[in-house]
């Protein structure tokens, strides 16, 4: 994963975008968004090596990151797109406060790929949750 962009790197980019959308990126292991990302990494089998490689790479601006995510998801199946949005939703609600920039990002990706929000909600039920 560290040398090529794929669905798993797309999940990391989405996490990175969503966790920083409110202007506060927290690396505290007790932060609910960070805990959600750890669950995502475990559930989606994203290794420490791949995560560290991602974090230590030049991620570019938020706009560049979003463009990369859109390119990755363009090549993904509908099911993968739904799953990515389900993870976005979990990160968005993790701290109990949905920031308008988080919601705007979620809706932007949802609309770009014409994803049914009910499909996302149904898929989210199957994901691990920190609560």
């Amino acid at each position: 994963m560290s040398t090529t962009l794929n669905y798993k790197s797309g999940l990391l980019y989405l996490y990175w975008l969503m966790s920083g959308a409110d202007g506060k990126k927290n690396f505290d292991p007790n932060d609910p968004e960070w805990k959600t990302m750890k669950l995502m990494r475990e559930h989606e089998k994203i290794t420490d090596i791949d995560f560290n490689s991602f974090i230590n790479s030049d991620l570019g601006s938020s706009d560049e990151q979003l463009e990369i995510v859109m390119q990755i998801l363009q090549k993904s199946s509908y099911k993968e797109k739904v799953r990515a949005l389900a993870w976005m939703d979990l990160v968005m609600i993790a701290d109990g406060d949905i920031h308008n920039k988080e919601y705007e990002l979620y809706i932007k990706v949802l609309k770009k790929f014409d994803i049914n929000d009910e499909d996302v909600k149904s898929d989210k039920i199957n994901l691990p949750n920190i609560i």
Side-chain angles (χ1 to χ4, degrees):
M1 183 182 95
S2 58
T3 57
T4 58
L5 294 174
N6 59 30
Y7 176 70
K8 290 180 182 182
S9 55
L11 290 175
L12 291 174
Y13 271 106
L14 282 174
Y15 163 75
W16 199 252
L17 285 165
M18 186 60 80
S19 68
D22 61 2
K24 302 177 230 166
K25 193 165 303 278
N26 195 335
F27 298 99
D28 178 355
N30 294 316
D31 177 70
E33 289 179 351
W34 189 261
K35 286 180 177 181
T36 301
M37 179 273 302
K38 295 282 283 180
L39 284 173
M40 178 186 76
R41 285 183 46 211
E42 182 179 305
H43 188 80
E44 301 293 339
K45 296 176 179 50
I46 300 171
T47 67
D48 288 343
I49 292 168
D50 287 333
F51 179 72
N52 290 333
S53 176
F54 172 81
I55 290 295
N56 292 314
S57 66
D58 178 12
L59 300 174
S61 69
S62 294
D63 289 339
E64 291 168 327
Q65 292 171 38
L66 184 56
E67 181 60 32
I68 291 168
V69 167
M70 295 301 194
Q71 290 173 11
I72 291 168
L73 289 181
Q74 190 68 40
K75 299 173 188 172
S76 300
S77 69
Y78 183 81
K79 183 177 177 178
E80 288 174 323
K81 291 172 188 164
V82 168
R83 174 60 50 95
L85 280 157
W87 281 115
M88 281 183 81
D89 192 312
L90 283 177
V91 172
M92 179 172 59
I93 65 170
D95 61 6
D97 181 30
I98 299 174
H99 190 275
N100 63 339
K101 293 290 185 186
E102 292 172 328
Y103 186 71
E104 286 173 17
L105 178 61
Y106 174 81
I107 293 300
K108 186 177 215 172
V109 176
L110 186 80
K111 287 183 177 182
K112 166 72 175 170
F113 295 107
D114 197 26
I115 304 293
N116 183 325
D117 193 45
E118 289 304 314
D119 291 344
V120 175
K121 302 296 184 217
S122 293
D123 193 61
K124 188 173 80 169
I125 292 169
N126 299 316
L127 296 177
N129 201 324
I130 60 169
I131 298 172

